[in-house]
Amino acid sequence: MHGLGNDFVIIDARREPFSPTAAQAQRIADRHRGVGFDQLILIEPPRSREAAAFLRFLNSDGSESGACGNGTRCLGWLLMTEAGTDKITLESRGGLLPCELLADGRVRVDMGEARLDWKDVPLAEERDTLHLGIEAGELKDPVGLSMGNPHAVFFVEDAEEVDLESLGPELEHHSLFPERANIGVASLIGKDALRLRVWERGAGITLACGSGACAAAVAACRRGLTNRKVAITVDGSLDEETGEDLEIEWRKSDGHVLMTGPYALGFQGLLAPSLLGELE
């Protein structure tokens, strides 16, 4: 499946446990010799009575991620369709994730509360998360927060012009981020509208990043650039046939972030045993 080009291999491990090693995840992620993905998503039995399933997210380098907004939206549709309902609650390491299928066909996910304290990002030392004070090249002074993953959002005049392929890895591994960080570059393109590009930790530049879009919307509101409801244009939004903006709302009542957008099912199939090797 994919959400605006942010693509996933999804494996149902509810009945038969499946726990790939980092090396196995990397083999599946190989776009030439495997299947290819930005994230591998495992559907596991729920750990909470309130949830229908537990989601685990692995990046293309085999590392585990705490959240994946586009992936959760895709899984929300998949499991709502399976259950014959228009509402479902999923869970991940980041907590419960209520999902809703809207009348227009999009899926809305409650991504939970934006975490703004430096310990929650987490940072290696106490800093004002509204002004982290780090820089690389033309990127300076990001906003830091966690949306289940650590994020640093830089505001620039033109996100298209930033050499994110070079600066992203450097900033992902900055000493301020003990768990590494997703690096977003955002520019204001209209009233309550942002253009966003993201270097995802463990995956590199992706066509869309749901948690990154949530982080950018919260960061823009905190900086006074937008209101609490923002349209986010990502790389995947630029596709003339299937692209559209993500709609992000940072709810004032409880600090939760709501993400609304599309989903797409590419194909279903079986992984060859030779691709997986021996399971632990």
Side-chain angles (χ1 to χ4, degrees), residues 31 98 109 146 180 230-231 240 243 254 257 269:
R31 295 187 184 277
V109 179
S146 172
R180 300 184 293 166
V230 184
E240 292 183 0
D254 58 7
V257 183

Side-chain angles (χ1 to χ4, degrees), residues 34-211:
V35 182
F37 62 76
D38 291 326
Q39 277 83 33
L40 172 66
I41 306 177
L42 303 175
I43 311 174
E44 298 182 344
R47 302 177 186 179
S48 166
R49 292 181 181 178
E50 301 175 60
F54 185 91
L55 306 183
R56 283 184 61 206
F57 306 107
L58 301 179
N59 296 312
S60 56
D61 69 353
S63 62
E64 189 157 356
S65 177
C68 177
N70 288 314
T72 301
R73 199 170 63 251
C74 287
L75 263 295
W77 172 81
L78 190 69
L79 296 182
M80 282 187 285
T81 300
E82 177 186 270
T85 183
D86 59 3
K87 291 184 180 180
I88 201 167
T89 297
L90 307 176
E91 62 177 326
S92 71
R93 275 173 36 192
L96 295 176
L97 299 161
C99 304
E100 179 181 4
L101 180 62
L102 304 182
D104 62 10
R106 296 181 301 165
V107 170
R108 176 177 295 151
V109 179
D110 182 343
M111 293 288 290
E113 189 176 357
R115 303 186 219 7
L116 309 179
D117 188 86
W118 71 274
K119 293 179 181 178
D120 294 330
V121 176
L123 303 179
E125 63 184 46
E126 184 173 359
R127 295 271 181 110
D128 176 3
T129 58
L130 190 57
H131 296 282
L132 292 184
I134 63 172
E135 61 181 74
E138 69 263 46
L139 299 180
K140 303 178 188 299
D141 194 25
V143 178
L145 69 151
S146 172
M147 285 302 312
N149 294 322
H151 288 272
V153 182
F154 293 84
F155 290 98
V156 297
E157 285 295 321
D158 187 350
E160 304 278 358
E161 295 300 317
V162 174
D163 185 6
L164 192 56
E165 190 168 4
S166 296
L167 299 176
E170 177 183 347
L171 288 162
E172 174 192 352
H173 294 275
H174 194 283
S175 60
L176 188 61
F177 306 119
E179 297 181 7
R180 300 184 293 166
N182 295 274
I183 306 303
V185 292
S187 51
L188 195 64
I189 58 173
K191 179 176 172 54
D192 297 330
L194 295 172
R195 172 70 171 101
L196 174 70
R197 298 173 62 221
V198 179
W199 173 276
E200 291 196 51
R201 63 173 183 170
I205 295 175
T206 56
L207 292 178
C209 176
S211 65

Side-chain angles (χ1 to χ4, degrees), residues 7-9 27-32 34-38:
D7 63 333
F8 317 105
V9 166
R27 286 200 291 272
I28 300 170
D30 190 316
R31 295 187 184 277
H32 301 287
V35 182
F37 62 76
D38 291 326

